[in-house]
Amino acid sequence: MTSAVDLRFLVAPDVSARPRLQGRLRVPGDKSISHRSIMLGAIAEGETRISGFLEGADALATLASFRHMGVQIQGPDRGEVRIQGVGLRGLQAPDAPLDMGNSGTSMRLLAGLLAGQSFPATLVGDASLTRRPMRRVTEPLGLMGARIGTSEQGTAPLMLEPTEHLTGIDYRMPVASAQVKSCLLLAGLYGTGETCVTEPAPTRDHTERMLTAFGYSVRRTANRVCITGGGRLMGCRLQIPADISSAAFFLVGASIAPGSDLTLEGVGINPTRVGVINILRAMGADIELMDRRTAGGEPVADIRVRSAPLTGVAIPVDQVPLAIDEFPALFIAAACASGETILTGAEELRVKESDRIQVMGDGLAALGIQAKPRPDGIRIRGGQIGPGVVDAHGDHRIAMAFAIAGLRASGPIEVRDCANVETSFPGFAALAVRVGVPMRELRS
Ligand code: S3P
Protein backbone atom coordinates (compact mmCIF):
# COMPACT_ATOMS: atom_id res chain seq x y z
CA MET A 1 0.00 0.00 0.00
CA THR A 2 1.21 3.54 -0.68
CA SER A 3 0.45 5.99 2.12
CA ALA A 4 -0.94 9.51 1.55
CA VAL A 5 2.25 11.32 2.63
CA ASP A 6 5.48 10.13 1.06
CA LEU A 7 7.85 9.65 3.98
CA ARG A 8 11.20 7.91 3.66
CA PHE A 9 13.85 7.14 6.22
CA LEU A 10 17.50 7.55 5.36
CA VAL A 11 19.88 5.79 7.74
CA ALA A 12 23.47 6.70 6.99
CA PRO A 13 25.98 5.33 9.47
CA ASP A 14 29.35 7.06 9.60
CA VAL A 15 31.59 4.04 9.09
CA SER A 16 34.52 5.77 10.79
CA ALA A 17 32.51 6.15 14.05
CA ARG A 18 30.19 3.17 14.50
CA PRO A 19 26.82 4.21 15.97
CA ARG A 20 25.78 3.00 19.40
CA LEU A 21 22.61 3.60 21.42
CA GLN A 22 22.88 5.23 24.80
CA GLY A 23 20.77 6.92 27.44
CA ARG A 24 17.22 6.53 28.71
CA LEU A 25 13.97 6.85 26.82
CA ARG A 26 10.27 6.20 27.15
CA VAL A 27 8.48 4.92 24.08
CA PRO A 28 4.77 5.84 23.61
CA GLY A 29 1.86 4.06 25.29
CA ASP A 30 0.79 0.53 24.49
CA LYS A 31 -1.39 0.41 21.38
CA SER A 32 -3.46 -2.65 22.35
CA ILE A 33 -4.18 -1.24 25.80
CA SER A 34 -4.94 2.25 24.44
CA HIS A 35 -7.65 0.87 22.12
CA ARG A 36 -9.24 -1.10 24.92
CA SER A 37 -9.16 1.84 27.36
CA ILE A 38 -11.34 3.89 25.01
CA MET A 39 -13.73 1.04 24.24
CA LEU A 40 -14.32 0.02 27.84
CA GLY A 41 -14.30 3.63 29.12
CA ALA A 42 -17.03 4.50 26.60
CA ILE A 43 -19.40 1.71 27.65
CA ALA A 44 -18.68 2.04 31.38
CA GLU A 45 -20.76 4.07 33.80
CA GLY A 46 -19.16 7.29 35.06
CA GLU A 47 -15.84 8.85 34.22
CA THR A 48 -12.68 7.05 33.11
CA ARG A 49 -9.36 8.87 33.28
CA ILE A 50 -6.49 7.55 31.23
CA SER A 51 -2.85 8.53 31.30
CA GLY A 52 -0.11 7.35 28.93
CA PHE A 53 -2.58 7.02 26.02
CA LEU A 54 -0.94 6.40 22.63
CA GLU A 55 -1.60 9.40 20.39
CA GLY A 56 -1.00 7.40 17.23
CA ALA A 57 -3.38 7.16 14.30
CA ASP A 58 -4.68 3.66 15.16
CA ALA A 59 -5.77 4.45 18.72
CA LEU A 60 -7.09 7.84 17.56
CA ALA A 61 -9.30 6.03 15.02
CA THR A 62 -10.89 4.10 17.89
CA LEU A 63 -11.32 7.32 19.87
CA ALA A 64 -12.94 9.14 16.94
CA SER A 65 -15.38 6.24 16.41
CA PHE A 66 -16.77 6.60 19.91
CA ARG A 67 -17.11 10.37 19.49
CA HIS A 68 -19.18 9.58 16.39
CA MET A 69 -21.38 7.40 18.62
CA GLY A 70 -22.10 10.27 20.99
CA VAL A 71 -19.48 9.66 23.69
CA GLN A 72 -17.92 12.77 25.30
CA ILE A 73 -14.15 12.38 25.27
CA GLN A 74 -11.68 15.07 26.34
CA GLY A 75 -8.15 14.90 25.04
CA PRO A 76 -5.82 13.34 24.27
CA ASP A 77 -3.58 15.97 25.79
CA ARG A 78 -0.05 14.69 26.43
CA GLY A 79 -1.45 11.21 26.91
CA GLU A 80 -4.30 12.27 29.22
CA VAL A 81 -7.84 11.30 28.16
CA ARG A 82 -11.15 11.65 30.03
CA ILE A 83 -14.19 9.71 28.94
CA GLN A 84 -17.75 10.24 30.16
CA GLY A 85 -18.99 6.67 29.88
CA VAL A 86 -22.50 6.12 28.52
CA GLY A 87 -23.08 2.61 29.87
CA LEU A 88 -23.53 -0.61 27.90
CA ARG A 89 -26.71 0.64 26.18
CA GLY A 90 -25.88 4.32 25.77
CA LEU A 91 -24.08 4.44 22.41
CA GLN A 92 -25.84 6.34 19.61
CA ALA A 93 -26.10 5.45 15.95
CA PRO A 94 -23.19 6.95 13.96
CA ASP A 95 -24.35 9.05 11.00
CA ALA A 96 -21.59 7.83 8.66
CA PRO A 97 -19.34 4.76 8.27
CA LEU A 98 -16.78 4.45 11.07
CA ASP A 99 -13.26 4.70 9.63
CA MET A 100 -10.75 2.36 11.26
CA GLY A 101 -7.86 3.53 9.06
CA ASN A 102 -5.01 1.01 9.19
CA SER A 103 -6.13 -0.57 12.45
CA GLY A 104 -7.09 -4.25 12.56
CA THR A 105 -7.59 -4.07 16.32
CA SER A 106 -10.14 -1.26 15.99
CA MET A 107 -12.10 -3.12 13.34
CA ARG A 108 -12.14 -6.57 14.91
CA LEU A 109 -12.84 -5.45 18.47
CA LEU A 110 -15.47 -2.90 17.43
CA ALA A 111 -17.22 -5.58 15.34
CA GLY A 112 -17.80 -7.45 18.61
CA LEU A 113 -18.75 -4.43 20.65
CA LEU A 114 -21.21 -3.18 18.01
CA ALA A 115 -22.68 -6.59 17.09
CA GLY A 116 -25.32 -6.40 19.81
CA GLN A 117 -26.40 -2.76 19.39
CA SER A 118 -29.88 -1.61 18.38
CA PHE A 119 -28.52 0.49 15.51
CA PRO A 120 -26.77 -0.33 12.24
CA ALA A 121 -23.12 0.53 11.64
CA THR A 122 -20.56 0.18 8.86
CA LEU A 123 -16.84 -0.25 9.54
CA VAL A 124 -14.38 0.75 6.82
CA GLY A 125 -10.59 0.92 6.61
CA ASP A 126 -7.67 1.80 4.35
CA ALA A 127 -6.40 -0.37 1.50
CA SER A 128 -4.23 -2.55 3.76
CA LEU A 129 -6.99 -3.16 6.32
CA THR A 130 -9.46 -3.87 3.53
CA ARG A 131 -7.28 -6.81 2.44
CA ARG A 132 -7.20 -8.43 5.89
CA PRO A 133 -9.37 -11.45 6.84
CA MET A 134 -12.52 -10.62 8.81
CA ARG A 135 -14.40 -13.95 8.71
CA ARG A 136 -12.42 -14.97 11.77
CA VAL A 137 -14.67 -12.54 13.69
CA THR A 138 -17.85 -12.43 11.61
CA GLU A 139 -18.33 -16.23 11.67
CA PRO A 140 -18.30 -16.68 15.47
CA LEU A 141 -20.31 -13.46 15.89
CA GLY A 142 -22.86 -15.01 13.52
CA LEU A 143 -23.07 -18.03 15.84
CA MET A 144 -24.05 -15.57 18.59
CA GLY A 145 -26.88 -14.24 16.41
CA ALA A 146 -25.14 -11.15 15.04
CA ARG A 147 -25.93 -10.02 11.53
CA ILE A 148 -22.75 -8.85 9.85
CA GLY A 149 -21.96 -8.65 6.18
CA THR A 150 -18.50 -8.56 4.59
CA SER A 151 -17.27 -8.33 1.00
CA GLU A 152 -17.34 -11.57 -1.00
CA GLN A 153 -13.71 -12.13 -0.02
CA GLY A 154 -14.60 -11.91 3.68
CA THR A 155 -13.01 -8.49 4.09
CA ALA A 156 -14.10 -4.97 5.06
CA PRO A 157 -16.33 -3.05 4.83
CA LEU A 158 -18.22 -4.74 7.65
CA MET A 159 -21.94 -4.02 7.61
CA LEU A 160 -23.66 -4.57 10.96
CA GLU A 161 -27.45 -4.77 11.22
CA PRO A 162 -29.22 -4.07 14.53
CA THR A 163 -29.62 -7.17 16.70
CA GLU A 164 -31.80 -7.24 19.78
CA HIS A 165 -30.41 -10.46 21.20
CA LEU A 166 -27.02 -12.07 21.14
CA THR A 167 -26.59 -15.47 22.71
CA GLY A 168 -23.44 -16.49 24.55
CA ILE A 169 -21.34 -19.18 22.86
CA ASP A 170 -18.59 -21.56 23.84
CA TYR A 171 -16.02 -21.00 21.10
CA ARG A 172 -12.76 -22.76 20.37
CA MET A 173 -10.60 -20.45 18.24
CA PRO A 174 -8.91 -22.06 15.23
CA VAL A 175 -6.12 -19.41 15.32
CA ALA A 176 -4.41 -17.98 18.40
CA SER A 177 -5.77 -14.44 18.10
CA ALA A 178 -6.24 -11.89 20.87
CA GLN A 179 -8.32 -9.81 18.51
CA VAL A 180 -10.81 -12.64 17.94
CA LYS A 181 -10.90 -13.48 21.66
CA SER A 182 -11.44 -9.83 22.60
CA CYS A 183 -14.09 -9.35 19.92
CA LEU A 184 -16.12 -12.26 21.31
CA LEU A 185 -15.73 -11.18 24.93
CA LEU A 186 -16.95 -7.68 24.03
CA ALA A 187 -19.93 -9.18 22.17
CA GLY A 188 -20.44 -11.43 25.19
CA LEU A 189 -21.14 -8.34 27.32
CA TYR A 190 -24.33 -8.01 25.25
CA GLY A 191 -25.14 -11.74 25.09
CA THR A 192 -27.52 -13.75 27.21
CA GLY A 193 -25.73 -16.24 29.42
CA GLU A 194 -22.10 -17.15 29.28
CA THR A 195 -19.59 -16.52 26.50
CA CYS A 196 -16.44 -18.64 26.68
CA VAL A 197 -13.42 -18.57 24.39
CA THR A 198 -10.76 -21.29 24.31
CA GLU A 199 -7.42 -20.40 22.75
CA PRO A 200 -5.04 -22.88 21.09
CA ALA A 201 -2.07 -20.97 22.60
CA PRO A 202 -1.89 -18.04 25.06
CA THR A 203 -2.48 -14.63 23.47
CA ARG A 204 -2.36 -11.15 24.98
CA ASP A 205 -4.85 -10.86 27.83
CA HIS A 206 -5.30 -7.08 28.08
CA THR A 207 -9.07 -7.27 27.54
CA GLU A 208 -9.50 -9.71 30.42
CA ARG A 209 -7.29 -7.62 32.74
CA MET A 210 -9.03 -4.40 31.82
CA LEU A 211 -12.55 -5.83 32.21
CA THR A 212 -11.50 -6.79 35.72
CA ALA A 213 -10.19 -3.24 36.34
CA PHE A 214 -13.64 -1.92 35.31
CA GLY A 215 -15.23 -4.22 37.90
CA TYR A 216 -16.52 -6.84 35.43
CA SER A 217 -16.18 -10.47 36.46
CA VAL A 218 -13.95 -12.58 34.19
CA ARG A 219 -13.36 -16.29 34.85
CA ARG A 220 -10.14 -17.80 33.58
CA THR A 221 -8.98 -21.40 33.58
CA ALA A 222 -5.86 -22.57 31.74
CA ASN A 223 -6.65 -21.73 28.11
CA ARG A 224 -10.33 -20.74 28.50
CA VAL A 225 -11.87 -17.41 29.46
CA CYS A 226 -15.57 -16.82 30.24
CA ILE A 227 -17.82 -13.87 31.00
CA THR A 228 -21.56 -13.55 31.60
CA GLY A 229 -23.49 -10.89 29.69
CA GLY A 230 -25.63 -8.15 31.14
CA GLY A 231 -23.33 -6.83 33.87
CA ARG A 232 -22.02 -3.28 34.35
CA LEU A 233 -18.63 -1.67 33.91
CA MET A 234 -17.65 1.09 36.31
CA GLY A 235 -15.41 3.94 35.12
CA CYS A 236 -11.90 3.91 36.59
CA ARG A 237 -8.39 5.35 36.30
CA LEU A 238 -5.95 3.65 33.96
CA GLN A 239 -2.24 4.17 33.52
CA ILE A 240 -1.05 2.77 30.20
CA PRO A 241 2.46 1.27 30.10
CA ALA A 242 4.96 2.04 27.35
CA ASP A 243 4.48 -0.34 24.41
CA ILE A 244 6.84 -3.33 24.37
CA SER A 245 6.17 -3.59 20.62
CA SER A 246 7.66 -0.11 20.15
CA ALA A 247 10.42 -0.80 22.66
CA ALA A 248 11.36 -3.87 20.56
CA PHE A 249 13.12 -1.74 17.93
CA PHE A 250 15.41 -0.33 20.60
CA LEU A 251 15.91 -3.70 22.29
CA VAL A 252 17.20 -4.99 18.97
CA GLY A 253 19.04 -1.76 18.09
CA ALA A 254 20.99 -1.65 21.35
CA SER A 255 21.73 -5.39 21.12
CA ILE A 256 23.25 -5.15 17.63
CA ALA A 257 25.12 -1.81 17.89
CA PRO A 258 28.41 -2.51 19.72
CA GLY A 259 29.03 -0.32 22.78
CA SER A 260 25.30 0.36 23.40
CA ASP A 261 23.77 0.74 26.86
CA LEU A 262 20.16 1.88 26.79
CA THR A 263 17.35 1.96 29.36
CA LEU A 264 13.69 1.92 28.31
CA GLU A 265 11.39 3.25 31.00
CA GLY A 266 8.03 1.92 32.16
CA VAL A 267 7.61 -0.80 29.53
CA GLY A 268 4.71 -3.27 29.80
CA ILE A 269 6.06 -6.76 30.47
CA ASN A 270 2.78 -8.68 30.49
CA PRO A 271 3.80 -12.39 30.19
CA THR A 272 1.66 -12.66 27.03
CA ARG A 273 3.82 -9.99 25.34
CA VAL A 274 7.40 -10.81 26.30
CA GLY A 275 8.26 -13.20 23.48
CA VAL A 276 10.69 -10.62 22.08
CA ILE A 277 12.67 -10.61 25.33
CA ASN A 278 12.63 -14.40 25.56
CA ILE A 279 13.79 -14.83 21.97
CA LEU A 280 16.49 -12.14 22.15
CA ARG A 281 17.81 -13.66 25.37
CA ALA A 282 17.90 -17.09 23.72
CA MET A 283 20.03 -15.44 21.01
CA GLY A 284 22.44 -14.14 23.65
CA ALA A 285 21.09 -10.61 24.27
CA ASP A 286 21.96 -8.82 27.49
CA ILE A 287 18.57 -7.62 28.78
CA GLU A 288 17.87 -6.76 32.39
CA LEU A 289 14.43 -6.02 33.88
CA MET A 290 14.64 -3.45 36.66
CA ASP A 291 12.19 -1.93 39.15
CA ARG A 292 9.33 -4.28 38.35
CA ARG A 293 5.97 -2.80 39.33
CA THR A 294 2.27 -2.82 38.37
CA ALA A 295 0.44 -0.04 36.50
CA GLY A 296 -3.26 -0.21 35.59
CA GLY A 297 -3.40 -3.96 36.27
CA GLU A 298 -0.40 -4.60 33.99
CA PRO A 299 3.18 -5.55 34.98
CA VAL A 300 5.77 -2.91 34.05
CA ALA A 301 9.57 -2.60 34.31
CA ASP A 302 12.48 -0.46 33.18
CA ILE A 303 14.47 -2.46 30.66
CA ARG A 304 18.24 -2.09 30.39
CA VAL A 305 19.82 -3.50 27.27
CA ARG A 306 23.52 -3.65 26.43
CA SER A 307 25.03 -4.83 23.19
CA ALA A 308 26.02 -8.48 22.97
CA PRO A 309 27.02 -10.91 20.22
CA LEU A 310 23.90 -12.71 18.99
CA THR A 311 23.60 -16.28 17.73
CA GLY A 312 20.88 -17.63 15.43
CA VAL A 313 18.21 -19.88 17.00
CA ALA A 314 15.26 -22.04 16.05
CA ILE A 315 12.45 -19.94 17.51
CA PRO A 316 10.20 -22.12 19.71
CA VAL A 317 6.67 -22.23 18.26
CA ASP A 318 5.14 -21.40 21.64
CA GLN A 319 6.88 -18.00 21.55
CA VAL A 320 5.24 -17.01 18.26
CA PRO A 321 1.95 -15.54 19.60
CA LEU A 322 3.90 -13.87 22.42
CA ALA A 323 6.11 -12.01 19.91
CA ILE A 324 3.67 -11.77 17.00
CA ASP A 325 4.22 -8.04 16.31
CA GLU A 326 7.95 -8.10 16.99
CA PHE A 327 9.15 -10.32 14.12
CA PRO A 328 10.18 -7.47 11.81
CA ALA A 329 12.57 -6.28 14.55
CA LEU A 330 13.61 -9.85 15.42
CA PHE A 331 14.45 -10.57 11.76
CA ILE A 332 16.96 -7.70 11.92
CA ALA A 333 18.49 -9.28 15.04
CA ALA A 334 18.68 -12.54 13.07
CA ALA A 335 20.43 -10.76 10.18
CA CYS A 336 23.11 -9.58 12.65
CA ALA A 337 23.49 -12.93 14.44
CA SER A 338 26.05 -15.59 13.67
CA GLY A 339 24.49 -18.64 12.05
CA GLU A 340 20.91 -19.26 11.04
CA THR A 341 17.61 -18.27 12.64
CA ILE A 342 14.59 -20.39 11.77
CA LEU A 343 11.00 -19.29 12.30
CA THR A 344 8.10 -21.72 11.82
CA GLY A 345 4.42 -21.76 12.82
CA ALA A 346 4.04 -18.07 12.00
CA GLU A 347 1.69 -18.05 8.99
CA GLU A 348 -0.28 -15.27 10.73
CA LEU A 349 2.53 -12.88 9.75
CA ARG A 350 1.26 -13.09 6.19
CA VAL A 351 -2.00 -11.32 7.10
CA LYS A 352 -0.72 -8.45 9.21
CA GLU A 353 -0.48 -4.83 7.98
CA SER A 354 1.51 -6.36 5.11
CA ASP A 355 2.68 -9.89 4.30
CA ARG A 356 5.52 -9.53 6.80
CA ILE A 357 7.31 -12.71 5.76
CA GLN A 358 7.53 -11.68 2.12
CA VAL A 359 8.15 -7.97 2.64
CA MET A 360 10.87 -8.57 5.24
CA GLY A 361 12.40 -11.34 3.11
CA ASP A 362 12.54 -9.02 0.07
CA GLY A 363 14.00 -6.15 2.15
CA LEU A 364 16.69 -8.34 3.72
CA ALA A 365 17.62 -9.75 0.32
CA ALA A 366 17.90 -6.20 -1.07
CA LEU A 367 20.49 -5.54 1.67
CA GLY A 368 22.48 -8.66 0.85
CA ILE A 369 21.19 -10.93 3.64
CA GLN A 370 20.23 -14.52 2.79
CA ALA A 371 16.57 -14.88 3.71
CA LYS A 372 14.36 -17.76 2.57
CA PRO A 373 10.63 -17.18 3.14
CA ARG A 374 8.48 -20.26 3.69
CA PRO A 375 4.69 -20.51 3.93
CA ASP A 376 4.75 -20.37 7.74
CA GLY A 377 8.01 -18.61 8.49
CA ILE A 378 11.49 -17.78 7.25
CA ARG A 379 15.15 -18.85 7.49
CA ILE A 380 17.63 -16.02 7.89
CA ARG A 381 21.41 -16.42 7.77
CA GLY A 382 23.28 -13.69 9.62
CA GLY A 383 25.80 -11.66 7.62
CA GLN A 384 26.98 -8.19 6.74
CA ILE A 385 24.03 -5.84 6.07
CA GLY A 386 24.83 -3.81 2.98
CA PRO A 387 23.54 -0.48 1.69
CA GLY A 388 20.37 -0.39 -0.37
CA VAL A 389 16.77 0.67 -0.87
CA VAL A 390 13.96 -1.14 0.91
CA ASP A 391 10.20 -0.79 0.48
CA ALA A 392 8.21 -0.93 3.75
CA HIS A 393 4.91 -1.30 1.82
CA GLY A 394 3.20 1.09 4.22
CA ASP A 395 3.83 -1.25 7.15
CA HIS A 396 4.88 0.74 10.23
CA ARG A 397 6.84 -2.02 11.91
CA ILE A 398 8.75 -2.92 8.76
CA ALA A 399 9.75 0.72 8.29
CA MET A 400 11.10 0.92 11.86
CA ALA A 401 12.84 -2.45 11.64
CA PHE A 402 14.86 -1.40 8.59
CA ALA A 403 15.72 1.95 10.18
CA ILE A 404 17.30 -0.03 13.02
CA ALA A 405 19.10 -2.29 10.51
CA GLY A 406 21.02 0.82 9.46
CA LEU A 407 22.96 0.62 12.74
CA ARG A 408 24.95 -2.29 11.37
CA ALA A 409 24.93 -1.47 7.66
CA SER A 410 28.11 -0.95 5.66
CA GLY A 411 26.47 1.98 3.82
CA PRO A 412 23.25 4.04 3.67
CA ILE A 413 19.81 2.40 3.74
CA GLU A 414 16.80 4.17 2.32
CA VAL A 415 13.44 2.89 3.57
CA ARG A 416 10.44 3.87 1.44
CA ASP A 417 6.74 4.24 2.31
CA CYS A 418 7.17 4.94 6.02
CA ALA A 419 4.29 7.35 6.76
CA ASN A 420 2.31 4.70 8.65
CA VAL A 421 4.90 4.71 11.44
CA GLU A 422 2.48 7.36 12.75
CA THR A 423 -0.10 4.60 13.43
CA SER A 424 1.83 3.15 16.36
CA PHE A 425 4.89 5.28 17.09
CA PRO A 426 4.51 9.02 16.55
CA GLY A 427 7.90 10.68 17.03
CA PHE A 428 9.89 7.51 16.28
CA ALA A 429 12.60 9.19 14.18
CA ALA A 430 13.23 12.01 16.67
CA LEU A 431 13.50 9.58 19.57
CA ALA A 432 15.74 7.26 17.58
CA VAL A 433 18.07 10.15 16.68
CA ARG A 434 18.19 11.27 20.32
CA VAL A 435 19.57 7.91 21.47
CA GLY A 436 22.01 7.54 18.59
CA VAL A 437 20.38 6.17 15.42
CA PRO A 438 21.99 8.07 12.50
CA MET A 439 18.77 8.65 10.56
CA ARG A 440 16.81 11.39 8.83
CA GLU A 441 13.27 11.70 7.56
CA LEU A 442 12.83 12.65 3.90
CA ARG A 443 9.43 14.01 2.84
CA SER A 444 8.23 14.76 -0.67
C1 S3P B 1 -3.64 -7.26 18.91
C2 S3P B 1 -3.50 -8.60 18.68
C3 S3P B 1 -2.58 -9.16 17.68
C4 S3P B 1 -1.55 -8.16 17.21
C5 S3P B 1 -2.16 -6.82 16.95
C6 S3P B 1 -2.83 -6.27 18.19
C7 S3P B 1 -4.61 -6.80 19.93
O1 S3P B 1 -3.31 -9.62 16.57
O2 S3P B 1 -0.88 -8.62 16.07
O3 S3P B 1 -1.18 -5.89 16.51
O4 S3P B 1 -4.54 -5.62 20.34
O5 S3P B 1 -5.44 -7.62 20.35
P1 S3P B 1 -3.95 -11.10 16.56
O6 S3P B 1 -4.72 -11.22 17.79
O7 S3P B 1 -4.81 -11.14 15.34
O8 S3P B 1 -2.78 -12.03 16.48
Side-chain angles (χ1 to χ4, degrees), residues 106 247 259 285 290 324 347 405 408 427:
S106 306
M290 300 179 309
I324 193 69
E347 47 280 278
R408 280 276 289 267

Side-chain angles (χ1 to χ4, degrees), residues 78-382:
R78 279 160 293 170
E80 305 280 324
V81 179
R82 274 190 195 201
I83 307 174
Q84 309 307 323
V86 297
L88 271 184
R89 295 282 167 196
L91 296 175
Q92 293 165 18
D95 56 12
L98 297 171
D99 188 356
M100 311 285 110
N102 192 242
S103 176
T105 307
S106 306
M107 186 167 281
R108 295 197 178 113
L109 271 59
L110 268 183
L113 199 154
L114 297 183
Q117 304 292 339
S118 55
F119 53 78
T122 301
L123 308 182
V124 298
D126 70 7
S128 150
L129 182 52
T130 302
R131 282 193 292 270
R132 297 179 65 184
M134 292 296 148
R135 287 205 179 105
R136 57 181 59 196
V137 291
T138 59
E139 284 179 0
L141 287 172
L143 298 175
M144 297 179 80
R147 296 189 296 154
I148 308 187
T150 64
S151 73
E152 259 175 44
Q153 296 75 40
T155 55
L158 300 185
M159 276 89 55
L160 291 97
E161 294 299 325
T163 317
E164 289 310 323
H165 298 291
L166 293 181
T167 313
I169 51 168
D170 193 347
Y171 189 67
R172 183 174 281 276
M173 292 192 294
V175 282
S177 165
Q179 292 180 347
V180 175
K181 173 178 65 174
S182 302
C183 164
L184 299 179
L185 292 176
L186 293 174
L189 297 173
Y190 294 87
T192 46
E194 207 177 38
T195 295
C196 294
V197 184
T198 302
E199 44 190 9
T203 65
R204 65 192 68 193
D205 63 358
H206 305 303
T207 304
E208 298 91 302
R209 285 174 187 259
M210 202 181 286
L211 282 167
T212 308
F214 277 87
Y216 209 96
S217 162
V218 177
R219 295 174 297 284
R220 278 190 269 195
T221 49
N223 57 348
R224 189 161 185 258
V225 52
C226 300
I227 61 162
T228 302
R232 299 162 72 191
L233 285 84
M234 307 315 284
C236 63
R237 278 174 185 259
L238 292 170
Q239 218 185 317
I240 298 181
D243 197 331
I244 191 167
S245 298
S246 298
F249 302 103
F250 295 100
L251 296 178
V252 170
S255 296
I256 62 173
S260 296
D261 184 352
L262 191 67
T263 300
L264 296 146
E265 295 169 0
V267 182
I269 51 157
N270 181 313
T272 60
R273 295 285 298 279
V274 293
V276 63
I277 295 177
N278 300 337
I279 295 166
L280 282 173
R281 279 183 171 159
M283 296 175 82
D286 179 355
I287 296 174
E288 196 184 336
L289 301 184
M290 300 179 309
D291 192 12
R292 287 168 182 250
R293 53 213 188 260
T294 304
E298 293 278 346
V300 164
D302 296 336
I303 307 181
R304 183 173 183 188
V305 52
R306 282 170 277 198
S307 52
L310 302 182
T311 309
V313 290
I315 295 172
V317 175
D318 64 0
Q319 293 299 312
V320 171
L322 312 183
I324 193 69
D325 291 337
E326 286 65 75
F327 285 106
L330 285 166
F331 291 175
I332 301 304
C336 297
S338 59
E340 199 175 37
T341 295
I342 303 167
L343 174 67
T344 53
E347 47 280 278
E348 275 294 297
L349 292 182
R350 294 204 176 267
V351 289
K352 293 293 178 189
E353 286 83 329
S354 69
D355 175 344
R356 287 185 172 159
I357 293 175
Q358 195 58 47
V359 175
M360 284 300 301
D362 291 347
L364 288 169
L367 302 178
I369 296 293
Q370 277 183 43
K372 287 200 196 102
R374 308 195 312 190
D376 70 334
I378 195 164
R379 297 171 85 102
I380 297 170
R381 179 160 290 285

